[in-house]
Amino acid sequence: MKNLGRIKRYIKGETKKIVFTLILVLFFVGASMSQPYLIGKALDEALANNYHAFLTYVITCIILAAVGIISGYLFERLVNKFTHNIVYKMRIDVFNKINSIPYSYFSNHSSGSILQFEIVDIENITNGLISLFKYFIEGGLTIIVTIILMFILNWLLAIGVILLSPLSIFVARFISNRNHKYFVKQFELQSNINALSKECIENLDLIQSNNYELQFIEKYKKSNNILRKHGNLALFSASWVNPSTRLVNNIIYALIGVIGIVIISIKSDIFNNLNAMISIGGLASFLVYINQYTKPFNEISSAAIELENARTSFERICAFLNQPDDKDEGIKEVTSIHDISFEHINFSYNKKQSLIEEFSLDITHGRKIAIVGPTGAGKSTLINLVLRYFDIDGGDLKYDGISYRELSKKTIRNNIGFVLQEPWVFKGTIFDNIRYAKQDATNEEIIDVCKKANIDKFINLLPFGYDTIVSSKNGLSEGEKQLISIARLMLAEPNIVVLDEATSNIDTRSEKMINDAFDKIMENKTSIVIAHRLSTIVSADVILVIKNGKIVEKGNHKDLMNKHGFYYELYSSQFDSVS
Amino acid sequence: MIKRVSDSYKHNIAAYIFGPILKIIEAVFDLLIPLFMKAVIDLTKFGDVNLMPESNVISKNLGLFIRSFGCWITDNRMLSDALIAFSIILTMGIVGFLITMITQYIASITAMKVGTEIRESLINKILTLSKKETNKINKGKLQNIVNNDTYIVQQGTLLFIRLIVRMPTILIGSLIVSFLLDYRIGFIFVAIVPIVMFITLIIMRYSSFKYIGIQANLDDISEKTSDVIEGEKIIRGFNKQNYEENSFRKYNDKYKKSAIHVGNVNSLINPLTFAITSIAIIAICLFAGNSILSIGSNEGVAIATTVIAEISFLAQISFTLTQFASTFLVLVKSRVSEKRINDVLLLETSKDNNVLPKDYNVVLSFEDVSLRYVDGGNNVLKHMSFSLNKGESLGIIGATGSGKSSIVSLTERYVRPSEGKVSIFGVDVNDIDAKVLRSKISYVSQKASFLQGSIKDNILMSNQKLTDKEIIESLKISEAYEFVSKYKDGINHIIEENGLNFSGGQRQRLNIARALAKQCDLYIFDDCFSALDFITDKKIRQNITNIYPNASKIFISQRVGSILNCDKILVIDGGEIIAQGKHDDLLKNCQIYKDLYISQKRGSLK
């Protein structure tokens, strides 16, 4: 088992609790299961007119009950405690892994599947751990202790019960297996209909504006009815558990009871010689055991499914945690970076198809570099390299003349501020979202920055202005999210600014105002700008036109226009409809 | 279609009555079985019914019942009694089981029926909701109501039919029987049942109350994690890993703390139940022992067998009580969910008066209209007035977040004006029949969205009567056929969730094709051209003018080029109309418009 190390690590610090738990469960099961035995004994002593023996048994029974109560309570408490301690550690581990795994992991895995580790899998493990102790171990122990006590009471009847046990096991397994199958199916159909409801609610505008309600309901009805049919089966098959447990109990109860009565009543020497006699008190205890006998079988069989789920979830989480961390070999820290130079850089996302070959470029202090080119040319890839989300395959990338290998990622990123193509807004107020760049910024500072860039007008139209709570899915259009991201960057005031299509969803006038504000802030600072809309970049010191990972043209706006090349073409196509 | 959840209960009233009633039979059998056991032991010990003590009424009667089947084994009366009793118990067990399974079946089909009916009615209702209502309830909560609350009510029905009668029958039945067996023991029962019931209920009530909190904590963890996954680049770029870990720890601590707290409280249930039943058992034993000791072992046998039966009842009671507590909770939860569902089903959707459009010259007019989505919050639109004449085109231009799209929401009546009056097709928008209104408007949204299905399915949405040829025709108008025709399966090509298998521009062209497939009086294009390059933008607009020359059109855009030919242009800023008129006038009179134009005009840049 290759994940043993991890298990050890998680259990570490909990070992004492776990050992103690195992001792407690022994006490609990022993004390609670011996109660019927003692009661039976007490009754027998009463029937035999032994007052003192009777009293002794009753008092023992009281003491054991107390032991059972206390150990039972502590047992459940401890299980609860260490389970949550363990999964707490797992949650943090998963979370930190998300922050430290190489960025490329996110390109190959959906966010839903990563989220599943943190939520579904860890819940499964929690349930599995609790089932393991509360049902598996306790239930198993209960069965063993019951069988032992039954043998002490009467071996013949005990053998009878053991012979009948397969009935309990069979019924429990049959039901839980069948349930599992139907429930998987029902779960699938339920998620299906949930997805359909979600589709309906999210696309309400679309459906309403097309008067498509009736057709949609027809579709919904169909899925709903399929769910109903299978749901019937699933619910019905699950409902076998209690009645059939009662039936099995009743059968065993009647059978063993009657055999017991026969033994008592016949008083034959055969039973005596076989040492198989049973008293009335003994029979009473025995019948109690039988009543409780089937329950742990049911519990264990449903716990088995939970354990299995927990095991697969744990393996999934381990596989995620065992991924190597993002390499950060550089240790050098610097206080400021102003220049960036690419030296014969090669890079590709997958090893088969190279994207950037022999790319060289010097970006010096205070310059504004613009990168333009068709989709898929590798513009954003350059940004990914500069910000060190991906490692270059060959060549060197230098910051103020120092190779990327020597600098820590942290120090590089501390010096570069950016707005990326897909703006990020997290759940919180507008203030929270902008303050992310500078934790100690005051509200006034934030409002000031927004005013400067003419962003605060739209914020004031939100229901509660800067205090409106927004989230990634609620409340803001893509352009508005970009505005927030820009405000965030302006607040940070970094040495180098990277803008990757930062204003693609913003109207041109606002864009111009933002750019003017940027130009003021960015005086004497280095900037790299990628833009689809070329109006943004005409003022750049150098414009690079990139195609298939290579620089095809280079120069300022005027030079490139005079050249009548690819840039000219791109530029002309954009203003076609206005002039 | 039901108006409230209870309607669905009424539809299945027979199941709610007969299902539980059938359960009584099994419950009674379950109570009788230990009594038969006692009777047969008593018979064995005393040898005959007449020899039993007078007080042992139940055993006497049951003994007579057993004997009434005659004597199966003549040379051993006792063995015969035992066999007969065994057969009776077995028969009761099996018959009880079969009858119960009928109830279980009724419960399953009724639960699913109720769940299905509620779900369907909810969707029916939701489809009539306006934007203001969905804003108020919020879409996430609506989804929860359709998916989770319906499920909980379904579960409530299931347990109700299965257990509502069984539990009291067992509880009251065992109380009665223990009184009949021995009234003194009966009192012990009367004392413990309410105590156990009270304790389990209080604990479970408390923990389920807390459980809602835990669920919210878990939601926070989930939301935090997905925010972080989405913003991973930004987090790394800002070096915020430690900050994020710390804020995650806060959520995780909170969750752990409350989960352990609830777990600890729940840990009380089992030991407390065990404690109370132990007290009862020991009390019964002490009491019975003392009686046996005082009356002697011969008659004492009857008391001993009573104890056997009583302990058996006690086990049933404690099982039933825990079941009762959890069932009670599901029923409480179900009531809460029922209320949440009813809140949606009973939503007063401001009724329209089904007024049909009149002859009109003005297609759309706004008179001093203001709008806010949250009562007491800021206005998104402020005192807007304008009108659009039949057959003319209206351009709306303005900054990101200036409120342009809210104008469409009012026109389509996704929302109603908070103040002022919106008239469309000659009728107040509040009165017009919404179906007719929407059949006369074709709307292209800013963000292209699709339902699951093929390109064809999605285009048919707007007009079910289209032939494949016509679909292709509308794809051609929106310049989409050029890429659709490249697929092997053509218009049957599947659109994946949110259209992610198409580029932004392609999605928008499909979206436009769908809107153009619908023949109507007013076309609204809500900033749908900005994802297209200028040439395609121009071509599509030309196609539209050629094919629907007489229809009225509204173009909303950030691009001056897309609207400059319109008969009237509105310039919106900060939720207000700051200027309206034709392109040339605006260039002269409106600085913002001029700025916009200049920022987009070739050669005027520097």
Side-chain angles (χ1 to χ4, degrees):
Chain A
M1 183 107 174
K2 59 177 187 291
N3 297 322
L4 210 62
R6 262 187 210 289
I7 295 178
K8 273 190 197 149
R9 208 178 77 71
Y10 287 125
I11 288 180
K12 207 178 151 201
E14 311 298 329
T15 18
K16 266 191 208 149
K17 288 193 198 84
I18 293 176
V19 172
F20 199 44
T21 304
L22 293 175
I23 296 170
L24 283 172
V25 73
L26 264 173
F27 269 83
F28 173 63
V29 171
S32 59
M33 292 322 286
S34 60
Q35 197 181 55
Y37 178 80
L38 293 171
I39 296 286
K41 282 286 180 199
L43 279 181
D44 282 343
E45 294 301 340
L47 283 170
N49 216 350
N50 280 336
Y51 181 69
H52 284 286
F54 165 72
L55 214 58
T56 317
Y57 277 118
V58 172
I59 290 170
T60 320
C61 202
I62 292 173
I63 295 169
L64 283 181
V67 170
I69 293 161
I70 294 166
S71 55
Y73 175 64
L74 290 178
F75 163 69
E76 292 205 21
R77 248 189 106 107
L78 273 181
V79 170
N80 184 33
K81 173 106 189 187
F82 71 71
T83 301
H84 284 290
N85 282 344
I86 290 173
V87 296
Y88 179 88
K89 284 189 246 173
M90 286 186 191
R91 274 221 166 87
I92 300 274
D93 280 357
V94 170
F95 188 82
N96 284 338
K97 195 73 198 184
I98 294 173
N99 281 330
S100 65
I101 205 163
Y103 192 80
S104 54
Y105 187 86
F106 297 100
S107 357
N108 310 322
H109 297 82
S110 73
S111 59
S113 72
I114 303 171
L115 184 62
Q116 176 159 332
F117 299 139
E118 196 69 301
I119 307 299
V120 181
D121 285 329
I122 297 217
E123 281 285 282
N124 281 346
I125 293 170
T126 313
N127 292 338
L129 279 172
I130 289 177
S131 292
L132 174 68
F133 284 88
K134 272 219 226 126
Y135 301 117
F136 224 76
I137 296 181
E138 191 195 313
L141 216 54
T142 307
I143 293 176
I144 295 170
V145 172
T146 311
I147 289 177
I148 292 173
L149 285 169
M150 286 198 285
F151 266 99
I152 294 176
L153 281 170
N154 185 296
W155 65 268
L156 194 63
L157 289 182
I159 286 179
V161 172
I162 288 178
L163 287 178
L164 288 169
S165 293
L167 192 61
S168 314
I169 298 170
F170 175 76
V171 169
R173 289 210 49 165
F174 175 72
I175 290 171
S176 68
N177 284 348
R178 229 170 48 124
N179 279 349
H180 187 63
K181 202 179 76 195
Y182 284 130
F183 262 89
V184 169
K185 183 77 188 167
Q186 194 204 10
F187 183 78
E188 186 193 313
L189 291 168
Q190 184 78 44
S191 348
N192 218 342
I193 198 114
N194 288 357
L196 213 54
S197 314
K198 184 170 168 236
E199 187 181 44
C200 167
I201 292 166
E202 281 177 355
N203 292 300
L204 207 52
D205 292 1
L206 178 68
I207 294 171
Q208 288 177 341
S209 83
N210 281 304
N211 282 332
Y212 192 66
E213 290 94 337
L214 287 179
Q215 287 86 345
F216 190 86
I217 287 170
E218 277 314 306
K219 200 158 111 186
Y220 195 81
K221 260 189 189 164
K222 231 192 242 162
S223 300
N224 208 6
N225 281 330
I226 297 175
L227 170 66
R228 195 176 95 182
K229 270 183 215 132
H230 284 85
N232 280 345
L233 273 176
L235 291 185
F236 185 55
S237 80
S239 71
W240 282 68
V241 179
N242 285 333
S244 45
T245 306
R246 286 199 291 268
L247 180 64
V248 172
N249 269 345
N250 284 340
I251 292 174
I252 300 180
Y253 185 84
L255 211 60
I256 298 296
V258 167
I259 296 174
I261 292 164
V262 170
I263 295 176
I264 293 174
S265 58
I266 290 177
K267 286 186 183 142
S268 149
D269 288 342
I270 312 169
F271 293 121
N272 225 339
N273 292 342
L274 285 173
N275 198 16
M277 281 307 294
I278 190 163
S279 60
I280 289 210
L283 187 61
S285 323
F286 216 99
L287 290 177
V288 175
Y289 288 130
I290 289 168
N291 258 335
Q292 298 169 350
Y293 188 61
T294 322
K295 204 176 135 215
F297 284 100
N298 284 335
E299 283 175 354
I300 287 177
S301 66
S302 52
I305 293 171
E306 291 198 334
L307 269 180
E308 180 56 31
N309 285 343
R311 199 180 60 85
T312 31
S313 284
F314 184 67
E315 275 168 12
R316 246 199 308 264
I317 285 183
C318 285
F320 179 64
L321 293 178
N322 290 339
Q323 299 270 342
D325 269 344
D326 191 22
K327 262 201 310 214
D328 190 7
E329 62 277 70
I331 40 163
K332 202 163 177 178
E333 306 276 334
V334 290
T335 46
S336 69
I337 295 175
H338 296 285
D339 301 351
I340 301 173
S341 59
F342 294 80
E343 295 177 2
H344 309 285
I345 281 177
N346 291 315
F347 175 75
S348 65
Y349 288 107
N350 62 26
K351 300 297 158 213
K352 280 178 218 141
Q353 203 179 5
S354 96
L355 181 63
I356 290 174
E357 282 175 45
E358 288 289 310
F359 184 90
S360 293
L361 173 68
D362 280 325
I363 303 171
T364 49
H365 189 176
R367 303 272 272 176
K368 180 176 176 184
I369 306 287
I371 306 174
V372 300
T375 318
K379 293 170 301 200
S380 295
T381 306
L382 290 175
I383 303 297
N384 282 336
L385 296 180
V386 167
L387 282 166
R388 304 280 284 108
Y389 294 132
F390 292 87
D391 281 339
I392 56 175
D393 297 335
D396 202 352
L397 180 57
K398 287 183 177 165
Y399 299 85
D400 276 5
I402 309 168
S403 168
Y404 75 98
R405 284 184 213 92
E406 291 166 41
L407 288 169
S408 76
K409 287 183 177 171
K410 190 172 173 193
T411 205
I412 295 172
R413 289 168 181 166
N414 264 339
N415 281 285
I416 306 177
F418 55 89
V419 176
L420 300 178
Q421 218 165 19
E422 270 157 20
W424 182 56
V425 167
F426 57 87
K427 190 183 174 182
T429 63
I430 301 279
F431 274 137
D432 295 341
N433 266 286
I434 297 175
R435 190 173 285 126
Y436 197 73
K438 191 178 165 194
Q439 222 53 51
D440 54 357
T442 60
N443 288 354
E444 288 68 34
E445 259 178 275
I446 293 172
I447 295 173
D448 198 46
V449 162
C450 291
K451 278 200 174 132
K452 258 188 221 156
N454 204 34
I455 292 172
D456 84 320
K457 221 171 207 170
F458 112 79
I459 295 173
N460 285 327
L461 286 185
L462 296 172
F464 304 106
Y466 285 87
D467 290 313
T468 310
I469 292 179
V470 294
S471 68
S472 72
K473 285 175 194 70
N474 246 332
L476 296 179
S477 75
E478 208 65 7
E480 290 164 346
K481 285 186 197 170
Q482 286 184 333
L483 291 176
I484 302 283
S485 304
I486 288 164
R488 196 184 282 153
L489 171 61
M490 286 185 163
L491 191 66
E493 296 191 352
N495 289 327
I496 299 176
V497 165
V498 171
L499 301 175
D500 185 359
E501 298 280 12
T503 51
S504 58
N505 286 303
I506 298 172
D507 66 286
T508 49
R509 183 169 166 272
S510 307
E511 183 181 46
K512 193 167 179 313
M513 290 188 197
I514 289 166
N515 283 333
D516 291 347
F518 258 124
D519 285 346
K520 261 186 222 142
I521 295 175
M522 293 313 295
E523 226 167 305
N524 289 322
K525 289 185 179 174
T526 317
S527 58
I528 307 172
V529 179
I530 295 179
H532 198 69
R533 239 186 245 151
L534 301 183
S535 54
T536 343
I537 52 130
V538 285
S539 65
D541 299 313
V542 182
I543 297 170
L544 303 175
V545 184
I546 297 197
K547 222 173 160 182
N548 300 326
K550 287 201 185 84
I551 300 175
V552 290
E553 282 173 33
K554 187 175 173 181
N556 64 25
H557 177 68
K558 215 169 142 192
D559 299 342
L560 293 174
M561 287 303 281
N562 290 337
K563 215 172 168 185
H564 282 257
F566 189 64
Y567 180 80
Y568 178 85
E569 248 175 67
L570 272 176
Y571 190 79
S572 308
S573 72
Q574 296 215 341
F575 293 94
D576 204 54
S577 54
V578 175
S579 42
Chain B
M1 176 87 184
I2 50 170
K3 289 225 170 56
R4 44 163 60 84
V5 175
S6 54
D7 291 351
S8 189
Y9 299 156
K10 280 179 204 144
H11 293 169
N12 297 294
I13 191 80
Y16 282 99
I17 294 173
F18 291 113
I21 287 178
L22 285 177
K23 272 268 179 163
I24 296 178
I25 300 173
E26 196 210 16
V28 170
F29 283 174
D30 281 350
L31 289 172
L32 280 174
I33 289 173
L35 294 179
F36 268 101
M37 195 59 83
K38 172 183 157 56
V40 76
I41 301 177
D42 285 349
L43 262 184
T44 317
K45 278 287 174 185
F46 292 99
D48 197 60
V49 179
N50 302 326
L51 300 174
M52 292 185 197
E54 273 313 305
S55 57
N56 207 359
V57 194
I58 294 181
S59 278
K60 281 193 162 183
N61 288 323
L62 292 180
L64 284 175
F65 181 70
I66 293 173
R67 289 270 161 102
S68 71
F69 285 91
C71 187
W72 292 358
I73 303 163
T74 32
D75 56 343
N76 193 334
R77 184 86 212 199
M78 282 183 267
L79 197 59
S80 159
D81 289 342
L83 270 180
I84 292 171
F86 172 68
S87 313
I88 293 172
I89 292 176
L90 202 61
T91 314
M92 287 197 298
I94 292 171
V95 171
F97 173 76
L98 291 176
I99 291 177
T100 293
M101 288 321 290
I102 296 175
T103 301
Q104 306 291 74
Y105 185 72
I106 292 176
S108 307
I109 55 169
T110 313
M112 287 314 292
K113 232 171 162 178
V114 169
T116 312
E117 189 170 31
I118 294 173
R119 214 175 285 120
E120 200 177 302
S121 305
L122 272 173
I123 286 291
N124 257 309
K125 181 73 188 191
I126 286 169
L127 285 169
T128 67
L129 295 184
S130 77
K131 227 176 201 149
K132 192 156 181 180
E133 281 135 11
T134 52
N135 242 329
K136 203 162 65 189
I137 308 184
N138 110 40
K139 293 189 168 181
K141 190 175 166 194
L142 265 184
Q143 275 182 38
N144 276 334
I145 290 177
V146 180
N147 297 339
N148 301 343
D149 288 316
T150 312
Y151 185 77
I152 291 169
V153 170
Q154 185 176 302
Q155 227 42 28
T157 293
L158 190 71
L159 290 184
F160 181 89
I161 297 181
R162 281 191 200 163
L163 298 172
I164 197 68
V165 166
R166 181 182 161 81
M167 289 184 306
T169 313
I170 292 278
L171 287 181
I172 296 167
S174 43
L175 280 183
I176 294 174
V177 174
S178 31
F179 266 104
L180 289 177
L181 281 173
D182 192 315
Y183 69 94
R184 289 159 300 189
I185 295 181
F187 278 119
I188 298 177
F189 271 62
V190 170
I192 66 142
V193 168
I195 298 177
V196 179
M197 203 144 112
F198 186 69
I199 290 175
T200 29
L201 267 184
I202 285 197
I203 292 176
M204 290 193 116
R205 187 70 218 252
Y206 178 79
S207 61
S208 78
F209 173 70
K210 285 278 167 184
Y211 186 75
I212 298 169
I214 294 186
Q215 213 48 43
N217 289 338
L218 193 63
D219 287 347
D220 285 344
I221 287 183
S222 166
E223 189 153 12
K224 179 83 206 164
T225 311
S226 56
D227 261 357
V228 163
I229 296 170
E230 210 175 295
E232 200 48 49
K233 268 191 175 175
I234 288 104
I235 291 164
R236 289 177 194 207
F238 278 105
N239 288 318
K240 287 278 189 178
Q241 290 95 329
N242 286 336
Y243 169 84
E244 291 296 346
E245 182 186 336
N246 286 335
S247 61
F248 181 74
R249 265 180 198 276
K250 271 182 218 142
Y251 290 115
N252 206 9
D253 282 335
K254 239 186 187 168
Y255 175 77
K256 180 176 142 186
K257 218 176 130 195
S258 46
I260 289 184
H261 176 70
V262 171
N264 283 345
V265 174
N266 281 337
S267 300
L268 283 169
I269 294 181
N270 284 334
L272 277 180
T273 323
F274 176 66
I276 293 163
T277 40
S278 294
I279 292 171
I281 288 181
I282 291 167
I284 291 172
C285 180
L286 261 178
F287 163 78
N290 280 321
S291 319
I292 295 171
L293 284 166
S294 64
I295 59 171
S297 76
N298 199 25
E299 290 205 5
V301 169
I303 297 176
T305 53
T306 299
V307 173
I308 298 180
E310 296 284 11
I311 291 178
S312 181
F313 290 139
L314 214 50
Q316 283 199 3
I317 287 180
S318 85
F319 178 72
T320 308
L321 282 176
T322 27
Q323 209 180 24
F324 173 75
S326 62
T327 309
F328 180 78
L329 278 179
V330 174
L331 293 181
V332 169
K333 269 193 198 164
S334 163
R335 285 294 292 188
V336 175
S337 293
E338 200 183 311
K339 203 185 152 294
R340 281 156 57 97
I341 294 170
N342 280 340
D343 283 347
V344 175
L345 288 177
L346 294 171
L347 258 187
E348 211 46 72
T349 38
S350 18
K351 282 242 164 47
D352 53 46
N353 297 325
N354 300 86
V355 177
L356 295 178
K358 303 196 175 91
D359 271 346
Y360 56 88
N361 286 318
V362 179
V363 177
L364 175 68
S365 85
F366 274 50
E367 290 165 50
D368 200 30
V369 171
S370 295
L371 174 68
R372 59 188 157 268
Y373 287 106
V374 181
D375 291 325
N378 295 335
N379 280 350
V380 268
L381 297 183
K382 300 166 190 163
H383 305 288
M384 283 198 162
S385 298
F386 68 88
S387 61
L388 167 65
N389 295 331
K390 194 173 180 176
E392 289 190 346
S393 58
L394 177 72
I396 302 178
I397 194 162
T400 308
S402 59
K404 301 184 297 277
S405 290
S406 292
I407 298 177
V408 180
S409 293
L410 283 167
T411 310
E412 279 260 40
R413 216 188 62 201
Y414 293 142
V415 282
R416 292 170 193 246
S418 308
E419 280 139 38
K421 183 179 171 189
V422 175
S423 309
I424 186 154
F425 306 126
V427 183
D428 188 327
V429 80
N430 286 325
D431 299 330
I432 199 168
D433 184 300
K435 291 248 164 203
V436 176
L437 170 74
R438 288 170 191 156
S439 71
K440 292 168 83 68
I441 301 179
S442 187
Y443 164 58
V444 191
S445 56
Q446 197 173 6
K447 192 170 171 257
S449 53
F450 304 95
L451 298 187
Q452 282 170 20
S454 63
I455 294 173
K456 181 178 165 180
D457 295 337
N458 269 283
I459 291 183
L460 283 177
M461 255 187 98
S462 63
N463 183 352
Q464 274 92 48
K465 293 183 202 104
L466 291 181
T467 61
D468 282 7
K469 221 177 134 193
E470 285 165 319
I471 290 175
I472 290 171
E473 198 48 47
S474 62
L475 285 169
K476 279 181 182 160
I477 303 174
S478 69
E479 303 285 330
Y481 195 63
E482 159 244 331
F483 67 86
V484 173
S485 60
K486 282 185 190 141
Y487 297 119
K488 264 189 207 141
D489 43 0
I491 58 170
N492 291 314
H493 197 72
I494 292 293
I495 301 182
E496 281 165 20
E497 202 182 336
N498 298 326
L500 289 180
N501 52 336
F502 295 94
S503 76
Q506 290 176 333
R507 281 202 290 271
Q508 210 40 277
R509 280 182 271 177
L510 292 174
N511 194 17
I512 296 169
R514 176 170 55 199
L516 293 178
K518 185 170 161 185
Q519 298 240 353
C520 46
D521 299 16
L522 175 62
Y523 290 86
I524 303 176
F525 302 92
D526 185 0
D527 213 359
C528 56
F529 297 111
S530 52
L532 306 174
D533 62 80
F534 290 82
I535 300 165
T536 317
D537 174 357
K538 200 170 171 183
K539 269 193 202 157
I540 296 176
R541 277 184 294 115
Q542 247 152 28
N543 293 344
I544 295 168
T545 328
N546 294 340
I547 291 157
Y548 300 115
N550 297 323
S552 314
K553 300 169 198 84
I554 298 177
F555 294 96
I556 296 172
S557 185
Q558 298 172 353
R559 282 186 193 168
V560 177
S562 310
I563 52 129
L564 64 92
N565 292 322
C566 289
D567 299 309
K568 187 189 273 179
I569 299 166
L570 306 180
V571 186
I572 311 285
D573 195 43
E576 289 169 294
I577 299 177
I578 53 163
Q580 51 184 312
K582 283 193 187 298
H583 174 72
D584 295 334
D585 302 333
L586 288 174
L587 267 188
K588 274 179 231 146
N589 306 327
C590 178
Q591 189 58 41
I592 290 189
Y593 186 78
K594 200 173 158 190
D595 287 350
L596 267 171
Y597 177 70
I598 289 171
S599 68
Q600 294 170 18
K601 191 173 179 282
R602 170 193 204 173
S604 61
L605 286 154
K606 250 181 199 179

